[in-house]
Amino acid sequence: METNSITPNTAINGKTIAGIVILIVGSILLIDQFNLFVIPDWVLSWPMLLIAYGLYLGGKYNFRKPIWIYLTVLGVGFLLTDNIPDAVRFIWPVAIIGVGAWMVTRHNNNAKEDKTYTEYKQV
């Protein structure tokens, strides 16, 4: 028996998504050049590029790989230190403490999951 699919295969590939992202970035840069809307300077800064790339990697790997956290924290840290006067004194210590706390809590969760499997008794 032959199965005919009525709906066409409309999967969006990586080239299509990359093209959409490039169109959006180009549109934002063009709007900024023509001064059509007021776009704050921090939106088009390099820390925002770090944040965007970190979130992109997080979405790509379903937020399972920790690299997205590191890039996003770095981007937010640099963005805050660029835009808030005297923020260098507290931003980096708080960011380092936050990443360390995240690593410790993540490590404890993995240890608890492994422990449940080792305590299993066979009958």
Side-chain angles (χ1 to χ4, degrees):
M1 179 176 245
E2 191 175 321
T3 305
N4 291 331
S5 133
I6 296 174
T7 59
N9 188 4
T10 58
I12 297 176
N13 60 11
K15 289 181 182 179
T16 305
I17 293 175
I20 291 171
V21 168
I22 290 173
L23 283 173
I24 291 171
V25 169
S27 300
I28 290 172
L29 291 173
L30 186 64
I31 288 171
D32 186 47
Q33 290 298 317
F34 284 129
N35 292 327
L36 296 176
F37 298 104
V38 177
I39 298 175
D41 291 335
W42 58 268
V43 172
L44 299 174
S45 64
W46 68 271
M48 283 301 289
L49 182 65
L50 274 177
I51 294 169
Y53 188 62
L55 293 175
Y56 166 75
L57 286 178
K60 182 177 178 180
Y61 297 112
N62 293 329
F63 298 97
R64 293 181 191 256
K65 294 189 177 186
I67 187 68
W68 77 273
I69 276 277
Y70 303 134
L71 289 174
T72 305
V73 167
L74 272 175
V76 168
F78 283 122
L79 187 66
L80 291 176
T81 56
D82 286 348
N83 294 312
I84 298 175
D86 204 27
V88 177
R89 291 182 33 217
F90 66 90
I91 292 296
W92 294 116
V94 168
I96 291 170
I97 290 170
V99 169
W102 176 76
M103 290 172 72
V104 168
T105 56
R106 181 179 168 123
H107 177 69
N108 286 342
N109 288 340
N110 289 340
K112 288 178 185 176
E113 290 173 6
D114 292 341
K115 196 175 192 180
T116 58
Y117 292 114
T118 59
E119 293 177 354
Y120 181 76
K121 297 180 181 179
Q122 291 182 342
V123 178

